[in-house]
Amino acid sequence: MNSNPLDDPSADPFEVAAQAAGDIARLTGVEHHDIALTLGSGWGKAADLIGETTATVPATEVTGFSAPALAGHVGSLRSILTPTGTRVLVIGARTHYYENHGVRRVVHSVRTAAATGATTMVLTNGAGGIKETWTPGTPVLISDHINLTADSPLEGATFIDLTDLYSSRLRGIARSVDPTLDEGVYCQFRGPHYETPAEVQMAKAIGGHIVGMSTALEAIAARQAGMEILGFSLITNLAAGIQKTPLSHAEVIEAGQSAEPVISALLARVIGQL
Ligand code: HPA
């Protein structure tokens, strides 16, 4: 495995992100992107629906990106031109906090997206649902988050406001595309184990509706970079103890695959309105 400059504690993560943005400009031929989109489990097909892919770059060729940890998590970046002329950078290479590479690597894609010029960050994931009315395959908007990792992408005394982190303006646009979209508070757990039923009850008691292992740290970094954020979860399963059967990764992947055509079309329509 190649060494990653972000593993050097003396490296400036924003400088590494600027280098990565330079790599993307060189490898895609596109100097500036407007919107960045991170695709989590179940959302992959959206990339094919939002416009014409003009370049695909293996993430391993971009400074600071790690190879994907999981089969099924595509390790590439795509530059897409929408019919209205918007440039979308699709990030199919997420580094999860549970991979233990440190939070700098977790948020590198977001910082890189900002360095390419993107001012809107769309974060998607597959997650467990706490609301009993949700069934596997339901897409929901993220209205806010509770960060249970006890970590932060901010270093030093960097005090950043997180009010309206998941932009109510962008949620309104998503709802204008699909008025039936529900929303909820996303709780990021460290993982990679799923939660215990008691942890799910705790998440519910403190105001959570969705449990997952990504997104919150990325959203904080996106806010720090000045981006406007839209978050979507695909409910792949009801959270542990809410559903009576044990959770399995295979079930999560399968729910993602069967929901993919519908939610990808929805996401593509929303992106078309941003
Ligand atoms: N918990 C955490 N992460 C998840 C889940 C879950 O139930 N489902 C998919 N990702």
Side-chain angles (χ1 to χ4, degrees):
M1 179 120 176
N2 295 334
S3 71
N4 187 312
L6 289 168
D7 293 340
D8 172 1
S10 70
D12 174 353
F14 297 96
E15 179 51 38
V16 179
Q19 276 176 35
D23 294 337
I24 290 170
R26 179 171 47 81
L27 294 164
T28 63
V30 179
E31 283 293 328
H32 175 98
H33 287 84
D34 305 298
I35 297 174
L37 166 61
T38 297
L39 294 176
S41 9
W43 298 92
K45 288 214 163 50
D48 295 328
L49 304 175
I50 55 187
E52 181 203 349
T53 298
T54 62
T56 303
V57 174
T60 44
E61 288 183 27
V62 180
T63 303
F65 277 75
S66 327
L70 265 185
H73 286 219
V74 193
S76 67
L77 302 171
R78 285 163 72 163
S79 183
I80 296 184
L81 182 60
T82 72
T84 55
T86 305
R87 274 286 174 186
V88 182
L89 180 68
V90 175
I91 301 162
R94 181 177 247 151
T95 298
H96 285 89
Y97 188 64
Y98 58 69
E99 289 171 53
N100 268 330
H101 294 307
V103 76
R104 283 181 167 192
R105 283 228 224 159
V106 172
V107 302
H108 178 60
S109 61
V110 168
R111 289 184 171 147
T112 298
T116 69
T119 51
T120 303
M121 185 75 230
V122 183
L123 296 168
T124 67
N125 59 55
I130 296 180
K131 278 201 201 176
E132 313 228 4
T133 50
W134 292 340
T135 49
T138 307
V140 297
L141 288 164
I142 301 175
S143 59
D144 202 345
H145 80 220
I146 298 174
N147 172 12
L148 296 174
T149 66
D151 210 337
S152 171
L154 309 182
E155 299 179 24
T158 311
F159 304 109
I160 300 256
D161 172 66
L162 299 181
T163 311
D164 199 36
L165 182 60
Y166 299 86
S167 164
S168 40
R169 187 184 79 85
L170 297 183
R171 276 184 277 147
I173 293 173
R175 278 224 187 74
S176 71
V177 172
D178 180 356
T180 70
L181 271 172
D182 203 355
E183 66 179 29
V185 173
Y186 181 92
C187 295
Q188 180 173 359
F189 282 83
R190 182 196 181 282
H193 47 270
Y194 293 116
E195 302 71 32
T196 63
E199 287 164 345
V200 169
Q201 287 307 315
M202 176 196 74
K204 183 176 178 180
I206 62 176
H209 308 106
I210 308 163
V211 287
M213 305 176 193
S214 67
T215 303
L217 295 170
E218 296 160 27
I220 296 168
R223 167 56 67 88
Q224 180 187 29
M227 301 165 101
E228 194 174 12
I229 299 150
L230 178 63
F232 270 108
S233 288
L234 167 69
I235 303 303
T236 56
N237 56 279
L238 288 182
I242 308 273
Q243 80 172 38
K244 298 302 169 214
T245 49
L247 272 54
S248 77
H249 182 60
E251 169 200 32
V252 166
I253 296 293
E254 200 181 295
Q257 281 167 352
S258 51
E260 198 156 28
V262 174
I263 62 166
S264 296
L266 166 67
L267 181 57
R269 274 161 53 221
V270 173
I271 301 265
Q273 299 296 315
L274 298 182

